[in-house]
Amino acid sequence: MADKGSKKKTGLTLACIILAVLVIFIIFLVKKDSIITNLKETRFFERVFGSTPEFVENHVTEEKNTVEIPVEQDTVVINVEPKTTSPSQDKTEAPAKKDEGTAVKENTKEETKTEAKETKETKPVQNAYTDLQLCFVEIHADGSINRKIIKRSVPKNDSPLATSIKLLLEGPDTTRSDEKDCTSLVPSGVRLLGARVTDGVAYLDFNDNFEINTYGVEGYTCQLMQIVYTATAFSTVNSVQFLIEGKKKEYLGSEGQWIGSPLSRTSFN
């Protein structure tokens, strides 16, 4: 009876030992990596066996390989990042170039518009005309002389007074219907040397041909009248002071026409 109880107790103990070994083995399998690492760090195998077991070295090698894999991937990523000619960059730069071209095109359009605007603004000035009044005379069959004021449309300039006097000296344009019966008693060869206006007085300087008129007294009177009426057509001119070669003379020609002071339209009534 005692032997039977002793065998039963021994069997139970053996079962417990086997169970404990299984539990330890299971724990070892689960915690294998941690246990081996701790044993290596404490150099347990070197103290007990004198060298590291082969399975531990292989395990370490696997650990190294496992650790190196992400390093190689990182290296590949780093080599890929510095690429400068990627399709995305080309696509990004393309709109910029397009924008530059568009900007240049818009600037060109703006410059063209500005130039067109300036041309449009200056065109009226270049093509602007003004009317000048010229005084000619008409000689009738009975010998009577009448003055005739005609208008000429000419481009605007900075010296309208000088322009009108020079046109007067050129004589009437007989191709025009309003001038075909006109004539001028200003001697041929007369030239305007200078013209200025001061305090309503136009100082007109002529060459010495101005002193020679073959039509006598009436001729001198008419040439002075023609110039005075032409000059005083301007609102800024009230009278004319005649000069010969830059000098003021009292009388004109042998007939003694007075030119020593400014003459106005009332001088010929």
Side-chain angles (χ1 to χ4, degrees):
M1 190 75 176
D3 291 337
K4 190 176 180 180
S6 177
K7 287 180 181 181
K8 187 177 181 181
K9 186 176 181 181
T10 301
L12 181 61
T13 302
L14 182 60
C16 290
I17 292 172
I18 292 171
L19 180 60
V21 170
L22 288 175
V23 171
I24 293 172
F25 181 73
I26 292 171
I27 294 172
F28 175 77
L29 291 177
V30 175
K31 299 292 185 176
K32 178 180 65 173
D33 294 340
S34 176
I35 293 171
I36 293 173
T37 301
N38 291 332
L39 292 176
K40 182 183 176 183
E41 290 177 355
T42 57
R43 297 185 177 182
F44 172 78
F45 294 104
E46 292 182 3
R47 294 175 182 176
V48 176
F49 302 101
S51 62
T52 304
E54 184 178 355
F55 75 91
V56 175
E57 290 179 353
N58 292 336
H59 179 75
V60 173
T61 302
E62 290 177 358
E63 285 292 329
K64 286 183 180 181
N65 292 335
T66 304
V67 173
E68 287 175 358
I69 289 172
V71 174
E72 292 177 357
Q73 290 177 350
D74 291 341
T75 303
V76 173
V77 173
I78 292 172
N79 289 334
V80 171
E81 288 179 355
K83 287 187 178 180
T84 56
T85 56
S86 63
S88 60
Q89 289 178 340
D90 292 339
K91 290 181 181 179
T92 304
E93 292 177 357
K97 292 181 180 179
K98 184 177 180 181
D99 293 341
E100 290 177 2
T102 304
V104 172
K105 189 173 181 181
E106 290 177 354
N107 291 337
T108 304
K109 288 183 179 179
E110 290 296 329
E111 291 176 359
T112 304
K113 289 181 181 178
T114 303
E115 291 176 358
K117 186 177 180 181
E118 291 177 354
T119 304
K120 188 176 181 181
E121 291 177 353
T122 56
K123 188 175 181 180
V125 177
Q126 293 175 352
N127 296 336
Y129 285 79
T130 184
D131 290 333
L132 300 179
Q133 295 183 20
L134 308 181
C135 181
F136 293 113
V137 295
E138 289 180 330
I139 301 176
H140 300 285
D142 59 358
S144 61
I145 301 175
N146 295 328
R147 63 175 173 266
K148 184 176 182 180
I149 306 297
I150 62 98
K151 290 184 179 181
R152 293 268 189 93
S153 182
V154 298
K156 284 185 176 181
N157 57 60
D158 296 333
S159 304
L161 175 60
T163 301
S164 63
I165 298 300
K166 289 178 180 179
L167 290 174
L168 177 67
L169 297 180
E170 291 175 1
D173 183 1
T174 56
T175 61
R176 293 166 54 100
S177 59
D178 59 340
E179 297 184 36
K180 63 181 180 179
D181 295 329
C182 294
T183 188
S184 176
L185 294 182
V186 179
S188 61
V190 174
R191 293 183 295 107
L192 180 67
L193 303 180
R196 60 185 175 86
V197 178
T198 303
D199 297 331
V201 179
Y203 292 83
L204 302 179
D205 185 16
F206 298 94
N207 65 342
D208 53 9
N209 282 16
F210 194 77
E211 295 186 89
I212 304 172
N213 194 308
T214 58
Y215 293 99
V217 176
E218 289 185 349
Y220 284 114
T221 301
C222 285
Q223 79 179 60
L224 295 176
M225 179 194 66
Q226 285 182 240
I227 293 172
V228 169
Y229 269 79
T230 299
T232 54
F234 295 93
S235 60
T236 57
V237 179
N238 299 321
S239 59
V240 176
Q241 175 62 64
F242 290 92
L243 302 174
I244 308 298
E245 297 290 345
K247 297 178 181 180
K248 184 170 69 172
K249 294 187 176 183
E250 293 184 353
Y251 296 97
L252 179 64
S254 60
E255 302 297 333
Q257 295 295 315
W258 176 256
I259 58 172
S261 61
L263 302 178
S264 64
R265 292 190 177 189
T266 59
S267 305
F268 302 95
N269 290 336

